[in-house]
Amino acid sequence: MNPITYERDHAVFRLPAQVTLANAQSLRSEILNIISQLTTRLILDLSDVEFADSSGLSMMLVCITCARRQGGDIVLLNPRPRVQALVELTRLNEVVAVMRDLPQAVESLSASVAA
Amino acid sequence: MKDEQLVLYSAQPNVAVEAARWLERACERMGYAGPRMEKLTLCTLEAVNNSIEHAYRFTPGNIQISVNSDADAITVTVSDYGRRLPAQPTTHCPSLLDARGRGSWIMQQWCDNVYHKFFDGMQHVVLQQRLHAEADQDTLKQASPQLGEHS
């Protein structure tokens, strides 16, 4: 299944079951490539993520920073409870919007980019 | 008391997640489940990452994960033969962009006890959750008779 879907003004990237030290670098490259080549408005879908660690969250923050520097933004979508707990513990939720469903995520992305 | 052990090689792909999945199954066999168990699993994943990234930075080696439970606590020990690393107690949440300290912070927040030991040429990171601490309802509902009755 293609992890990336494109809409008119944004893309949705579905992250794999693990977002950890083992694959954080490769995911970062992939996401940064999307930001530089395709769109700076990106939704990271965490619905499938079973395991995320601090390296995975750090990767997301790097990508968020990059997107914002280029006038775009990233929104996180539907993390599972254990991932949400980590997002809150590390305060990543104070830096990035975390939404429960896709319409909310799209709306949040539009609002943040327009601001 | 129940205990189980797993040995993995640090250069294996996805070794930390494999350790986390194994620990989840081991905890469930011991009657320990729910959000607190998931936090213990993530702490173990972070400890294994530290072994891979720091202790075995230049030369790979074996990582041993053991878990044991008794009436009072469930204890996970992550052990390696790699470079000795100083413990990094942190008093504040490190930035996600900091190269070190994030894993230690998470372990300290989500475990009741975290400590480091060095003996027999190995360093050990011990992660412990007390069963008498605020256990979530899921844990209580799913606890085995040996672990239950602790409110």
Coordinates of all heavy atoms in Angstrom, one line a residue, chain B residues 15-105:
Chain B
V15 N 16.0 -4.8 16.4 CA 16.2 -5.5 17.6 C 15.4 -4.9 18.8 O 14.9 -5.6 19.6 CB 17.7 -5.7 18.0 CG1 18.4 -4.3 18.2 CG2 17.9 -6.5 19.2
A16 N 15.3 -3.6 18.8 CA 14.6 -3.0 19.9 C 13.1 -3.3 19.9 O 12.5 -3.5 21.0 CB 14.9 -1.4 19.9
V17 N 12.6 -3.2 18.7 CA 11.1 -3.5 18.6 C 10.9 -5.0 18.9 O 9.9 -5.4 19.6 CB 10.6 -3.1 17.3 CG1 9.2 -3.7 17.0 CG2 10.6 -1.6 17.1
E18 N 11.8 -5.9 18.5 CA 11.7 -7.3 18.8 C 11.7 -7.5 20.3 O 10.9 -8.3 20.8 CB 12.8 -8.1 18.1 CG 12.6 -9.6 18.3 CD 13.7 -10.4 17.6 OE1 14.3 -9.9 16.6 OE2 13.9 -11.6 17.9
A19 N 12.6 -6.8 21.0 CA 12.6 -6.9 22.4 C 11.3 -6.4 23.1 O 10.8 -7.0 24.0 CB 13.8 -6.1 23.0
A20 N 10.8 -5.3 22.5 CA 9.6 -4.7 23.1 C 8.4 -5.7 22.9 O 7.6 -5.9 23.8 CB 9.3 -3.4 22.4
R21 N 8.3 -6.3 21.7 CA 7.2 -7.2 21.5 C 7.3 -8.5 22.4 O 6.4 -9.0 22.9 CB 7.2 -7.7 20.0 CG 6.8 -6.6 19.0 CD 6.6 -7.2 17.6 NE 6.6 -6.2 16.6 CZ 5.6 -5.4 16.3 NH1 4.5 -5.5 17.0 NH2 5.7 -4.6 15.3
W22 N 8.6 -8.9 22.5 CA 8.8 -10.1 23.4 C 8.4 -9.8 24.8 O 7.7 -10.5 25.5 CB 10.3 -10.5 23.4 CG 10.6 -11.5 24.4 CD1 10.4 -12.9 24.4 CD2 11.1 -11.3 25.7 NE1 10.8 -13.5 25.5 CE2 11.3 -12.5 26.4 CE3 11.5 -10.1 26.4 CZ2 11.8 -12.6 27.7 CZ3 12.0 -10.2 27.7 CH2 12.1 -11.4 28.3
L23 N 8.8 -8.6 25.3 CA 8.4 -8.2 26.6 C 6.9 -8.1 26.9 O 6.4 -8.5 27.9 CB 9.1 -6.8 27.0 CG 8.8 -6.3 28.4 CD1 9.4 -7.2 29.4 CD2 9.4 -4.9 28.6
E24 N 6.2 -7.5 25.9 CA 4.8 -7.5 26.0 C 4.2 -8.9 26.2 O 3.3 -9.1 27.1 CB 4.2 -6.9 24.7 CG 4.2 -5.4 24.6 CD 3.4 -4.8 23.5 OE1 3.2 -5.5 22.5 OE2 3.1 -3.6 23.6
R25 N 4.6 -9.8 25.4 CA 4.1 -11.2 25.5 C 4.5 -11.8 26.9 O 3.7 -12.4 27.5 CB 4.6 -12.1 24.4 CG 4.1 -11.6 23.0 CD 4.4 -12.7 22.0 NE 5.8 -12.9 21.8 CZ 6.5 -12.2 20.9 NH1 5.9 -11.3 20.1 NH2 7.8 -12.4 20.7
A26 N 5.7 -11.5 27.3 CA 6.2 -12.0 28.6 C 5.3 -11.4 29.8 O 4.9 -12.1 30.7 CB 7.6 -11.7 28.8
C27 N 5.1 -10.1 29.7 CA 4.3 -9.5 30.7 C 2.9 -10.1 30.7 O 2.3 -10.3 31.8 CB 4.2 -8.0 30.5 SG 5.8 -7.1 30.9
E28 N 2.3 -10.3 29.6 CA 1.0 -10.8 29.5 C 0.9 -12.2 30.1 O 0.0 -12.6 30.8 CB 0.5 -10.8 28.1 CG 0.1 -9.4 27.6 CD -0.1 -9.3 26.1 OE1 -0.1 -10.4 25.4 OE2 -0.3 -8.2 25.6
R29 N 2.0 -13.0 29.9 CA 2.0 -14.3 30.5 C 2.1 -14.2 32.0 O 1.6 -15.1 32.7 CB 3.2 -15.1 30.0 CG 3.1 -15.6 28.5 CD 4.2 -16.6 28.2 NE 5.5 -16.0 28.0 CZ 5.9 -15.5 26.9 NH1 5.2 -15.5 25.8 NH2 7.1 -14.9 26.8
M30 N 2.6 -13.1 32.5 CA 2.7 -12.9 33.9 C 1.5 -12.2 34.5 O 1.5 -11.9 35.7 CB 4.0 -12.1 34.2 CG 5.3 -12.8 33.9 SD 6.7 -11.8 34.2 CE 8.1 -12.9 33.7
G31 N 0.6 -11.9 33.6 CA -0.7 -11.3 34.1 C -0.6 -9.8 34.2 O -1.4 -9.2 34.9
Y32 N 0.4 -9.2 33.5 CA 0.6 -7.8 33.6 C 0.3 -7.1 32.3 O 0.9 -7.5 31.3 CB 2.0 -7.5 34.0 CG 2.3 -6.0 34.4 CD1 1.6 -5.4 35.4 CD2 3.3 -5.3 33.8 CE1 1.9 -4.1 35.8 CE2 3.6 -4.0 34.1 CZ 2.8 -3.4 35.1 OH 3.1 -2.1 35.5
A33 N -0.7 -6.2 32.2 CA -1.1 -5.7 31.0 C -1.6 -4.2 31.2 O -1.7 -3.8 32.3 CB -2.2 -6.5 30.3
G34 N -1.9 -3.6 30.1 CA -2.5 -2.2 30.2 C -1.5 -1.1 29.9 O -0.4 -1.4 29.6
P35 N -2.0 0.1 30.1 CA -1.1 1.3 29.7 C 0.2 1.3 30.5 O 1.2 1.7 30.0 CB -2.0 2.5 30.1 CG -3.4 2.0 29.9 CD -3.3 0.5 30.3
R36 N 0.2 0.9 31.8 CA 1.5 0.9 32.5 C 2.5 -0.1 31.9 O 3.7 0.2 31.8 CB 1.3 0.6 34.0 CG 1.1 1.9 34.8 CD 0.7 1.7 36.2 NE 1.6 0.9 37.0 CZ 2.7 1.5 37.6 NH1 2.9 2.8 37.5 NH2 3.5 0.7 38.3
M37 N 2.0 -1.2 31.5 CA 2.8 -2.2 30.9 C 3.4 -1.7 29.6 O 4.6 -1.9 29.3 CB 2.1 -3.5 30.6 CG 2.9 -4.6 30.0 SD 3.0 -4.6 28.2 CE 1.4 -5.2 27.8
E38 N 2.5 -1.0 28.8 CA 3.0 -0.4 27.6 C 4.1 0.6 27.8 O 5.0 0.7 27.0 CB 1.8 0.2 26.8 CG 0.8 -0.8 26.3 CD -0.4 -0.2 25.6 OE1 -0.5 1.0 25.7 OE2 -1.1 -1.0 25.0
K39 N 4.0 1.4 28.9 CA 5.0 2.3 29.2 C 6.3 1.6 29.6 O 7.4 2.1 29.2 CB 4.6 3.3 30.3 CG 3.5 4.2 29.9 CD 2.9 5.1 31.0 CE 1.9 6.0 30.5 NZ 1.3 6.8 31.6
L40 N 6.2 0.5 30.3 CA 7.4 -0.2 30.7 C 8.0 -0.8 29.4 O 9.3 -0.8 29.3 CB 7.0 -1.4 31.6 CG 8.1 -2.3 32.1 CD1 9.2 -1.5 32.9 CD2 7.6 -3.4 32.9
T41 N 7.2 -1.2 28.5 CA 7.7 -1.7 27.2 C 8.5 -0.7 26.5 O 9.6 -0.9 25.9 CB 6.6 -2.3 26.4 OG1 5.9 -3.3 27.0 CG2 7.1 -2.7 25.0
L42 N 7.9 0.5 26.4 CA 8.6 1.6 25.7 C 9.9 2.0 26.4 O 11.0 2.2 25.8 CB 7.8 2.8 25.6 CG 8.5 4.0 24.8 CD1 8.8 3.6 23.4 CD2 7.7 5.3 24.9
C43 N 9.9 2.0 27.7 CA 11.2 2.3 28.5 C 12.2 1.2 28.1 O 13.4 1.5 28.0 CB 10.9 2.2 30.0 SG 9.9 3.6 30.5
T44 N 11.8 0.0 28.0 CA 12.7 -1.1 27.6 C 13.3 -0.9 26.2 O 14.5 -1.0 26.0 CB 12.0 -2.5 27.7 OG1 11.5 -2.6 29.0 CG2 13.0 -3.6 27.4
L45 N 12.4 -0.4 25.3 CA 12.8 -0.1 24.0 C 13.9 1.0 24.0 O 14.9 0.9 23.3 CB 11.6 0.3 23.2 CG 11.7 0.3 21.6 CD1 10.3 0.3 21.0 CD2 12.4 1.6 21.1
E46 N 13.7 2.0 24.8 CA 14.7 3.1 24.9 C 16.0 2.5 25.5 O 17.1 2.9 25.0 CB 14.1 4.2 25.8 CG 12.9 4.9 25.2 CD 13.3 5.9 24.1 OE1 14.5 6.2 23.9 OE2 12.4 6.5 23.5
A47 N 15.9 1.7 26.5 CA 17.1 1.1 27.1 C 17.9 0.3 26.1 O 19.1 0.4 26.0 CB 16.8 0.3 28.3
V48 N 17.2 -0.5 25.3 CA 17.9 -1.3 24.2 C 18.5 -0.4 23.2 O 19.6 -0.6 22.7 CB 16.9 -2.3 23.6 CG1 17.5 -3.0 22.4 CG2 16.4 -3.3 24.6
N49 N 17.8 0.7 22.8 CA 18.3 1.7 21.9 C 19.6 2.2 22.4 O 20.6 2.4 21.7 CB 17.4 2.8 21.7 CG 16.3 2.5 20.7 OD1 16.4 1.6 19.9 ND2 15.2 3.3 20.7
N50 N 19.7 2.5 23.7 CA 20.9 3.1 24.3 C 22.1 2.1 24.2 O 23.2 2.5 23.9 CB 20.7 3.4 25.8 CG 19.9 4.7 26.0 OD1 19.8 5.5 25.0 ND2 19.4 5.0 27.2
S51 N 21.8 0.8 24.4 CA 22.8 -0.2 24.2 C 23.3 -0.2 22.8 O 24.5 -0.3 22.5 CB 22.3 -1.6 24.6 OG 22.1 -1.8 25.9
I52 N 22.4 -0.2 21.8 CA 22.8 -0.2 20.4 C 23.6 1.0 20.0 O 24.6 0.9 19.4 CB 21.5 -0.3 19.5 CG1 20.7 -1.6 19.8 CG2 21.9 -0.2 18.0 CD1 19.4 -1.6 19.2
E53 N 23.0 2.1 20.5 CA 23.6 3.4 20.0 C 24.8 3.8 20.7 O 25.7 4.5 20.1 CB 22.5 4.5 20.2 CG 22.6 5.7 19.2 CD 21.5 6.7 19.4 OE1 20.7 6.5 20.4 OE2 21.4 7.5 18.5
H54 N 25.0 3.5 21.9 CA 26.1 4.0 22.7 C 27.0 2.9 23.2 O 28.2 2.9 22.9 CB 25.6 4.8 23.9 CG 24.6 5.9 23.5 ND1 25.1 7.0 22.7 CD2 23.3 6.1 23.7 CE1 24.0 7.8 22.5 NE2 23.0 7.3 23.1
A55 N 26.5 1.9 23.9 CA 27.4 0.8 24.4 C 28.0 0.1 23.3 O 29.2 -0.3 23.3 CB 26.6 -0.1 25.3
Y56 N 27.2 -0.2 22.2 CA 27.8 -1.0 21.1 C 28.0 -0.2 19.9 O 27.8 -0.6 18.7 CB 26.8 -2.2 20.8 CG 26.8 -3.3 21.8 CD1 25.6 -3.8 22.3 CD2 28.0 -3.9 22.2 CE1 25.6 -4.9 23.2 CE2 28.0 -4.9 23.2 CZ 26.8 -5.4 23.6 OH 26.8 -6.4 24.5
R57 N 28.3 1.1 20.1 CA 28.5 2.0 19.0 C 29.5 1.6 18.0 O 29.3 1.7 16.7 CB 28.9 3.4 19.5 CG 28.9 4.4 18.5 CD 29.2 5.8 19.1 NE 29.1 6.8 18.0 CZ 28.8 8.1 18.3 NH1 28.5 8.4 19.5 NH2 28.8 8.9 17.3
F58 N 30.6 1.0 18.4 CA 31.7 0.7 17.5 C 31.8 -0.8 17.2 O 32.2 -1.2 16.1 CB 33.0 1.2 18.1 CG 33.0 2.6 18.3 CD1 33.1 3.1 19.6 CD2 33.0 3.5 17.3 CE1 33.1 4.5 19.8 CE2 33.0 4.9 17.5 CZ 33.0 5.4 18.8
T59 N 31.3 -1.6 18.2 CA 31.4 -3.1 18.0 C 30.1 -3.7 18.5 O 29.7 -3.4 19.6 CB 32.5 -3.7 18.8 OG1 33.7 -3.0 18.5 CG2 32.7 -5.2 18.5
P60 N 29.4 -4.4 17.6 CA 28.1 -5.0 18.1 C 28.3 -6.1 19.1 O 29.4 -6.6 19.3 CB 27.5 -5.6 16.8 CG 28.6 -5.8 15.9 CD 29.7 -4.8 16.2
G61 N 27.2 -6.4 19.8 CA 27.3 -7.5 20.8 C 26.0 -7.9 21.3 O 24.9 -7.4 20.8
N62 N 25.9 -8.8 22.3 CA 24.7 -9.3 22.8 C 24.0 -8.3 23.7 O 24.7 -7.7 24.6 CB 24.9 -10.6 23.4 CG 25.0 -11.8 22.4 OD1 24.7 -11.6 21.3 ND2 25.6 -12.9 22.9
I63 N 22.7 -8.3 23.6 CA 21.9 -7.5 24.6 C 20.9 -8.6 25.3 O 20.2 -9.3 24.6 CB 21.0 -6.4 23.9 CG1 22.0 -5.5 23.2 CG2 20.2 -5.7 24.9 CD1 21.2 -4.4 22.3
Q64 N 20.9 -8.5 26.6 CA 20.1 -9.5 27.3 C 19.0 -8.7 28.0 O 19.2 -7.7 28.6 CB 21.0 -10.2 28.4 CG 20.3 -11.2 29.2 CD 21.3 -11.9 30.1 OE1 22.2 -12.6 29.7 NE2 21.1 -11.6 31.4
I65 N 17.8 -9.2 27.8 CA 16.6 -8.6 28.4 C 16.0 -9.6 29.3 O 15.7 -10.8 28.9 CB 15.6 -8.1 27.4 CG1 16.2 -7.1 26.5 CG2 14.4 -7.5 28.1 CD1 16.5 -7.6 25.1
S66 N 15.9 -9.3 30.6 CA 15.2 -10.2 31.5 C 14.1 -9.5 32.2 O 14.1 -8.3 32.4 CB 16.2 -10.8 32.5 OG 16.8 -9.8 33.2
V67 N 13.0 -10.3 32.5 CA 11.9 -9.7 33.2 C 11.5 -10.7 34.3 O 11.5 -11.9 34.1 CB 10.7 -9.4 32.3 CG1 10.3 -10.7 31.5 CG2 9.5 -8.8 33.0
N68 N 11.3 -10.1 35.5 CA 10.8 -10.9 36.5 C 9.7 -10.2 37.3 O 9.7 -9.0 37.4 CB 11.9 -11.5 37.4 CG 12.5 -10.5 38.3 OD1 11.9 -10.0 39.2 ND2 13.8 -10.2 38.0
S69 N 8.8 -10.9 37.9 CA 7.7 -10.4 38.6 C 7.6 -11.1 40.0 O 7.8 -12.3 40.1 CB 6.4 -10.4 37.9 OG 6.0 -11.8 37.8
D70 N 7.2 -10.3 41.0 CA 6.9 -10.9 42.3 C 5.6 -10.2 42.8 O 5.0 -9.5 42.0 CB 8.1 -10.9 43.2 CG 8.5 -9.4 43.5 OD1 7.7 -8.5 43.4 OD2 9.7 -9.3 43.9
A71 N 5.4 -10.4 44.0 CA 4.1 -9.8 44.5 C 4.1 -8.2 44.5 O 3.1 -7.6 44.6 CB 3.9 -10.3 45.9
D72 N 5.3 -7.7 44.5 CA 5.4 -6.2 44.7 C 5.7 -5.5 43.4 O 5.3 -4.3 43.3 CB 6.6 -5.9 45.7 CG 6.3 -6.5 47.1 OD1 5.1 -6.4 47.5 OD2 7.2 -7.0 47.7
A73 N 6.5 -6.1 42.5 CA 6.9 -5.3 41.4 C 7.2 -6.2 40.2 O 7.4 -7.4 40.3 CB 8.2 -4.5 41.7
I74 N 7.3 -5.5 39.0 CA 7.7 -6.2 37.8 C 9.0 -5.5 37.4 O 9.1 -4.2 37.4 CB 6.7 -6.2 36.7 CG1 7.1 -7.1 35.6 CG2 6.3 -4.8 36.2 CD1 5.9 -7.6 34.8
T75 N 10.0 -6.2 37.1 CA 11.4 -5.6 36.9 C 11.9 -6.1 35.6 O 12.0 -7.3 35.4 CB 12.3 -6.1 38.1 OG1 11.8 -5.7 39.3 CG2 13.7 -5.4 37.9
V76 N 12.4 -5.2 34.8 CA 13.1 -5.5 33.5 C 14.5 -5.1 33.7 O 14.8 -4.0 34.1 CB 12.4 -4.8 32.4 CG1 13.1 -5.0 31.1 CG2 10.9 -5.2 32.2
T77 N 15.4 -5.9 33.2 CA 16.8 -5.6 33.2 C 17.3 -5.7 31.8 O 17.2 -6.8 31.2 CB 17.6 -6.5 34.2 OG1 17.0 -6.4 35.5 CG2 19.1 -6.1 34.2
V78 N 18.0 -4.7 31.3 CA 18.6 -4.7 30.0 C 20.1 -4.6 30.2 O 20.6 -3.7 30.8 CB 18.1 -3.4 29.2 CG1 18.8 -3.4 27.8 CG2 16.6 -3.4 29.0
S79 N 20.8 -5.7 29.7 CA 22.2 -5.8 30.0 C 23.0 -5.9 28.8 O 22.6 -6.5 27.8 CB 22.4 -7.1 30.9 OG 21.6 -7.1 32.0
D80 N 24.2 -5.4 28.8 CA 25.1 -5.5 27.6 C 26.6 -5.5 28.1 O 26.9 -5.2 29.3 CB 24.9 -4.4 26.6 CG 25.2 -3.0 27.2 OD1 26.4 -2.8 27.5 OD2 24.3 -2.1 27.3
Y81 N 27.5 -5.9 27.2 CA 28.9 -6.0 27.5 C 29.6 -4.8 26.8 O 30.8 -4.8 26.6 CB 29.5 -7.3 26.9 CG 29.0 -8.5 27.6 CD1 28.0 -9.3 27.1 CD2 29.7 -9.0 28.7 CE1 27.6 -10.4 27.7 CE2 29.4 -10.2 29.3 CZ 28.3 -10.9 28.8 OH 27.9 -12.0 29.4
G82 N 28.9 -3.8 26.4 CA 29.5 -2.7 25.7 C 30.2 -1.7 26.5 O 30.5 -1.9 27.7
R83 N 30.5 -0.5 25.9 CA 31.2 0.5 26.5 C 30.4 1.0 27.7 O 29.2 1.1 27.6 CB 31.4 1.7 25.6 CG 32.2 1.5 24.4 CD 32.4 2.8 23.6 NE 31.1 3.5 23.3 CZ 31.0 4.8 23.2 NH1 32.0 5.6 23.3 NH2 29.8 5.3 22.8
R84 N 31.1 1.2 28.8 CA 30.4 1.7 30.0 C 30.0 3.1 29.8 O 30.8 4.0 29.4 CB 31.3 1.6 31.2 CG 31.3 0.2 31.8 CD 32.2 0.1 33.0 NE 31.7 0.9 34.1 CZ 32.1 0.7 35.4 NH1 32.9 -0.3 35.7 NH2 31.6 1.4 36.4
L85 N 28.8 3.4 30.2 CA 28.2 4.7 30.0 C 27.8 5.3 31.4 O 27.2 4.5 32.2 CB 27.0 4.7 29.1 CG 27.3 4.1 27.7 CD1 25.9 3.8 27.0 CD2 28.1 5.0 26.9
P86 N 28.1 6.5 31.6 CA 27.6 7.1 32.9 C 26.1 7.2 32.9 O 25.5 7.5 31.8 CB 28.2 8.4 32.9 CG 28.5 8.8 31.5 CD 28.7 7.5 30.8
A87 N 25.5 7.0 34.0 CA 24.0 7.2 34.1 C 23.7 8.6 33.9 O 24.5 9.5 34.2 CB 23.5 6.7 35.5
Q88 N 22.6 8.9 33.3 CA 22.2 10.3 33.0 C 20.9 10.7 33.7 O 19.9 10.8 33.0 CB 22.1 10.5 31.5 CG 23.4 10.6 30.8 CD 23.4 11.6 29.6 OE1 22.4 11.7 28.9 NE2 24.4 12.4 29.6
P89 N 20.9 10.9 35.0 CA 19.7 11.4 35.6 C 19.4 12.8 35.1 O 20.3 13.6 35.0 CB 20.0 11.4 37.1 CG 21.5 11.5 37.2 CD 22.1 10.8 35.9
T90 N 18.2 13.0 34.8 CA 17.8 14.3 34.3 C 16.7 14.9 35.1 O 15.8 14.1 35.6 CB 17.3 14.2 32.8 OG1 16.2 13.3 32.7 CG2 18.4 13.8 31.9
T91 N 16.7 16.2 35.3 CA 15.7 16.8 36.2 C 14.7 17.5 35.4 O 13.7 18.0 35.9 CB 16.4 17.8 37.1 OG1 17.1 18.7 36.4 CG2 17.3 17.1 38.1
H92 N 14.9 17.5 34.1 CA 13.9 18.2 33.2 C 13.8 17.5 31.9 O 14.7 16.7 31.6 CB 14.3 19.7 32.9 CG 15.6 19.7 32.2 ND1 16.8 19.7 32.9 CD2 16.0 19.8 30.9 CE1 17.8 19.8 32.0 NE2 17.3 19.9 30.8
C93 N 12.7 17.7 31.2 CA 12.5 17.0 30.0 C 13.5 17.6 28.9 O 13.4 18.8 28.6 CB 11.1 17.3 29.5 SG 10.7 16.5 27.9
P94 N 14.4 16.7 28.4 CA 15.3 17.2 27.4 C 14.5 17.6 26.1 O 13.5 17.0 25.8 CB 16.2 16.1 27.1 CG 15.9 15.1 28.2 CD 14.6 15.3 28.6
S95 N 15.1 18.5 25.3 CA 14.5 18.8 24.0 C 14.6 17.6 23.2 O 15.6 16.8 23.3 CB 15.4 19.9 23.4 OG 15.1 19.9 22.0
L96 N 13.6 17.4 22.3 CA 13.7 16.2 21.4 C 14.8 16.3 20.5 O 15.2 15.3 19.8 CB 12.4 16.2 20.6 CG 11.2 15.5 21.3 CD1 9.9 15.7 20.5 CD2 11.4 14.0 21.6
L97 N 15.4 17.5 20.4 CA 16.6 17.6 19.5 C 17.9 17.4 20.2 O 18.9 17.4 19.5 CB 16.6 19.1 18.9 CG 15.3 19.4 18.0 CD1 15.4 20.8 17.5 CD2 15.2 18.4 16.8
D98 N 17.9 17.1 21.5 CA 19.1 16.8 22.2 C 19.5 15.3 21.8 O 18.7 14.5 21.7 CB 18.9 16.8 23.7 CG 18.8 18.2 24.2 OD1 19.2 19.1 23.5 OD2 18.3 18.4 25.3
A99 N 20.8 15.2 21.6 CA 21.3 13.9 21.2 C 21.2 12.8 22.3 O 21.1 11.6 22.0 CB 22.7 14.0 20.7
R100 N 21.3 13.3 23.5 CA 21.3 12.3 24.6 C 20.4 12.7 25.7 O 20.1 13.9 25.9 CB 22.7 12.1 25.2 CG 23.7 11.4 24.3 CD 24.8 10.8 25.1 NE 24.4 9.8 25.9 CZ 25.1 9.2 26.9 NH1 26.3 9.7 27.2 NH2 24.7 8.3 27.7
G101 N 19.9 11.8 26.5 CA 19.1 12.1 27.7 C 17.6 11.9 27.5 O 16.9 11.8 28.5
R102 N 17.2 11.8 26.3 CA 15.7 11.6 26.1 C 15.2 10.3 26.6 O 14.2 10.2 27.4 CB 15.4 11.7 24.6 CG 15.8 13.0 23.9 CD 15.5 13.0 22.5 NE 15.9 11.7 21.9 CZ 16.6 11.6 20.7 NH1 16.9 12.7 20.1 NH2 16.9 10.5 20.2
G103 N 15.9 9.3 26.3 CA 15.5 7.9 26.7 C 15.6 7.8 28.2 O 14.7 7.3 28.9
S104 N 16.6 8.4 28.9 CA 16.7 8.4 30.3 C 15.5 9.1 31.0 O 15.0 8.6 32.0 CB 18.0 9.0 30.8 OG 19.1 8.3 30.3
W105 N 15.2 10.2 30.4 CA 14.0 11.0 30.9 C 12.8 10.2 30.9 O 12.0 10.1 31.9 CB 13.9 12.3 30.1 CG 12.6 13.0 30.3 CD1 11.5 13.0 29.5 CD2 12.2 13.8 31.4 NE1 10.4 13.7 30.1 CE2 10.9 14.2 31.2 CE3 12.9 14.2 32.6 CZ2 10.2 15.1 32.1 CZ3 12.2 15.0 33.5 CH2 10.9 15.5 33.3

